Amino acid sequence: MFRTPALILVAALALAGCVGQQPQLAADGRPLPKLYEIRKGDEGRVTYSLIDSVNALRSAANAQPLAPNPLLTAAAATHSRDMAVQNRPWHFGSDGSSPIERVRRTGYQGRMLGENISETYENEVETLSAWMGSPDTRSVILDPLARDIGFSWYQEPGGKIWWTLVTGG
């Protein structure tokens, strides 16, 4: 006698749980991207997730691992923030600087070899995967002359992330 109301209640609760899992939609009806939020304290995890992944890919390609370099990271951080200010992913700074100039400004003594950039809502591993999918950006990651890596990002309040990876040797 009480089974039917109990089953209806269980079914209603199950369906109510599904409602919260619906993707949010933009005004034009397209689903909004899933937000990947980088919180305070996540910096080390995100950085080493990317660098460890890069080094695993390099190992598979018989290339030596890259060492994190604070000067290259400073150049990457400056450019990530500047791309957000310009609201466009490109390799030139708002002051007209090239990647080589930005690396030189940090005092890095080696040669700047490559720069990968991205504007996305994806995490660092998904961004690395996209870079590996393109011959130009893959060659920066697997460059056999590279010895050092700098990696940084800037996340806007709305969630968009501007990623920059710089290699040197």
Side-chain angles (χ1 to χ4, degrees):
M1 175 171 201
F2 291 104
R3 282 193 173 154
T4 303
L7 289 175
I8 291 172
L9 177 61
V10 168
L13 289 173
L15 288 173
C18 292
V19 172
Q21 297 174 353
Q22 296 296 323
Q24 293 183 335
L25 301 178
D28 64 3
R30 289 182 298 145
L32 290 173
K34 182 179 155 196
L35 178 63
Y36 176 66
E37 183 181 356
I38 302 172
R39 296 188 179 109
K40 193 111 174 115
D42 285 346
E43 294 87 356
R45 178 192 57 78
V46 171
T47 298
Y48 286 100
S49 170
L50 183 282
I51 293 173
D52 289 347
S53 297
V54 164
N55 284 333
L57 292 166
R58 289 179 61 84
S59 176
N62 293 318
Q64 75 175 27
L66 301 180
N69 182 283
L71 298 175
L72 293 179
T73 296
T78 297
H79 193 56
S80 290
R81 184 172 288 276
D82 192 47
M83 285 190 296
V85 168
Q86 296 182 70
N87 196 31
R88 64 178 169 179
W90 76 322
H91 293 283
F92 294 93
S94 56
D95 62 355
S97 62
S98 71
I100 293 169
E101 290 171 298
R102 287 191 299 276
V103 167
R104 190 177 309 137
R105 286 178 191 164
T106 69
Y108 181 71
Q109 295 298 304
R111 190 175 81 171
M112 184 271 181
L113 295 173
E115 178 183 73
N116 287 347
I117 58 173
S118 181
E119 166 197 18
T120 184
Y121 288 87
E122 296 177 332
N123 68 36
E124 66 282 358
V125 175
E126 292 166 324
T127 300
L128 176 58
S129 178
W131 285 334
M132 289 300 289
S134 169
D136 291 340
T137 51
R138 181 175 50 249
S139 68
V140 170
I141 293 163
L142 299 179
D143 185 343
L145 299 176
R147 302 292 177 259
D148 300 315
I149 186 171
F151 174 67
S152 193
W153 62 89
Y154 174 75
Q155 186 165 32
E156 295 178 355
K160 185 189 303 182
I161 307 171
W162 300 87
W163 301 100
T164 306
L165 177 147
V166 180
T167 60

